[in-house]
Amino acid sequence: MTVVSYVGPDFEPSPPRRPRRRPLTVALAALVPGALLGWVVYEAVGGPDGGSAGAVGTPVSSRAPASPTASEPTDSGNDDAKQPSPTPATSAPATSSPGTSAPAASGPLKGKVIVIDPGHNPGNFQHTAEINRKVNIGTNWKECDTTGTSTNAGYAEAEFTLDVAHRMRTLLQAQGATVKLTQDGDRPYGPCVDERARIGNAAHADAVVSVHADGSAAGNRGFHVILPGSVHAGAADTRPIVAPSRRLGERIAGNFVRVTGSAPSNYIGDGTGLDTRTDLGGLNLSTVPKVFVECGNMRDSKDEALLTSGAWRQKAAQGISEGIVSFLRG
C-alpha cells in the first residue's frame, strides 16, 4: 500500500533569483501543490482528537463514559457475544446510512469493494432487549449483538471501533477502493451479527474486516486476528471462504506487527496472532472473505495506553488497511 506523507509545507523564503535560475523556480513551483496536498491529507486523516499527530498514551477526550467497577466481569474474547456492560457509551451523531461510501478515487484498488464492520454500537446499552434477542448463526442461536467492552477508564469499545473504521475508510478510499461500513453510529443499535454478515455478502465484498478490541484480564496483551473455521450447518457454509480468509488474516497480522510494533497476543493464538473459531455469527454466515481483528486488550493498562491514543489508532488503521491491500493485490 502506498504510504502517504502527512508532513505539512514548511518552506524557507527563497533568495533573489537571477534569470539563469528560472528552471529552479519552475521546479519549486511544481513541488508546492504536492506539499500542500500532503498537508490537506494530514488534516483529513488526523481525526477529531488529533489523529496521527497525537502522542502514544495521550488520554481520550472527556466524552468517554464512566468507568466500570473492578468487580465487573471481564470479557473473555467471545466477540459475537461479549457480555453487555452497564457502562453507557455516548452515541455518535447520524452521518450516513450503513453500507454507504464516498465515490472511490482512481488507484490500485479501483473496482474493489471493502466492507468495514465496526464492532458493536454506541447505542447498544440503551437497547438491551433488542440486542439480547437471539438470531440463528447456522450452528446455533446467539445474541443479536452486545455492548462490547471498555477500558478501566471508561473508553468504550464501540467508540474505538468506529474511530479506527473511519481512519481505515480514508486510507482505503485513497487507494481507489469502494468502502462500505456496516454501521456508522447512525442507527439506535446493532446491526445484529447476522445482518452484519449479510451486508458484506450483498455488497459482494472482496474483503470484510470486523474491527474489535478485547476485554480480557490484566496482563493479557497484544492483538489477534480471528479466522473462520470450516462450518456447514443450516444457513452457514464457510467452506469456500476458509482459505482466502486465512490469507487475508495472515496479511493483516503481518502488516499490523510491522506498522504498529505491537506483538501478537500472549494469551490467544500461541504467539501466531491467529485464532480460528466456528462460534461467531459474523464469520459463520459470511459468503465472502472475512476476519475479525482484536486490536488489543482494553483491560490491560499498557494496551489501554495504546488503544486510547489517536496516533496509535492511526497506525492500527494503517496496519489493517495495508494488510487488506496486500491481500487484494495478491
Side-chain angles (χ1 to χ4, degrees):
M1 174 175 180
T2 302
V3 177
V4 181
S5 172
Y6 299 123
V7 178
D10 184 13
F11 300 105
E12 294 294 334
S14 302
R17 296 174 174 81
R18 300 188 183 119
R20 62 188 179 87
R21 300 276 186 183
R22 291 185 60 82
L24 177 59
T25 302
V26 173
L28 285 172
L31 289 174
V32 170
L36 289 174
L37 178 59
W39 179 255
V40 170
V41 173
Y42 167 82
E43 290 295 317
V45 174
D49 61 352
S52 59
V56 173
T58 302
V60 294
S61 67
S62 59
R63 60 195 170 94
S67 169
T69 63
S71 61
E72 291 173 11
T74 57
D75 180 358
S76 62
N78 190 17
D79 297 88
D80 266 359
K82 286 179 177 175
Q83 292 301 314
S85 166
T87 305
T90 303
S91 180
T95 55
S96 63
S97 298
T100 60
S101 173
S106 60
L109 295 187
K110 187 171 181 61
K112 299 294 186 181
V113 177
I114 299 167
V115 171
I116 305 172
D117 178 29
H120 312 289
N121 184 311
N124 276 359
F125 80 97
Q126 295 176 321
H127 297 272
T128 54
E130 291 89 346
I131 66 172
N132 285 331
R133 177 177 63 85
K134 297 295 180 69
V135 298
N136 193 319
I137 66 167
T139 54
N140 60 295
W141 293 76
K142 205 161 189 180
E143 290 83 359
C144 157
D145 202 5
T146 68
T147 62
T149 188
S150 67
T151 67
N152 292 328
Y155 180 47
E157 180 186 4
E159 187 176 350
F160 168 84
T161 64
L162 272 176
D163 182 82
V164 173
H166 291 160
R167 295 169 188 269
M168 288 174 59
R169 178 171 59 188
T170 298
L171 293 168
L172 292 166
Q173 284 177 342
Q175 293 286 309
T178 296
V179 182
K180 302 175 183 289
L181 269 60
T182 59
Q183 59 94 9
D184 201 2
D186 50 1
R187 53 191 296 165
Y189 65 91
C192 295
V193 295
D194 56 341
E195 183 182 351
R196 289 173 188 266
R198 286 196 298 271
I199 291 171
N201 298 344
H204 303 289
D206 296 286
V208 183
V209 174
S210 189
V211 181
H212 287 264
D214 209 357
S216 188
N220 290 341
R221 295 199 62 196
F223 79 94
H224 63 278
V225 181
I226 304 176
L227 314 174
S230 182
V231 173
H232 186 210
D237 186 0
T238 63
R239 293 174 298 176
I241 69 164
V242 166
S245 295
R246 172 167 284 275
R247 291 196 298 273
L248 172 62
E250 290 172 344
R251 298 295 178 92
I252 290 175
N255 282 276
F256 199 88
V257 169
R258 179 179 59 80
V259 176
T260 68
S262 293
S265 169
N266 63 5
Y267 63 103
I268 291 177
D270 296 324
T272 66
L274 302 174
D275 182 36
T276 300
R277 291 174 60 171
T278 59
D279 63 327
L280 302 179
L283 295 180
N284 286 4
L285 300 175
S286 182
T287 59
V288 294
K290 182 174 182 178
V291 299
F292 280 40
V293 182
E294 295 280 2
C295 296
N297 177 18
M298 294 194 117
R299 294 301 180 92
D300 176 82
S301 61
K302 292 180 180 179
D303 272 9
E304 176 184 4
L306 301 176
L307 297 165
T308 55
S309 162
W312 189 88
R313 292 196 300 274
Q314 183 65 27
K315 291 180 181 179
Q318 182 179 340
I320 298 170
S321 297
E322 292 192 8
I324 296 171
V325 172
S326 176
F327 166 74
L328 293 178
R329 300 190 71 179

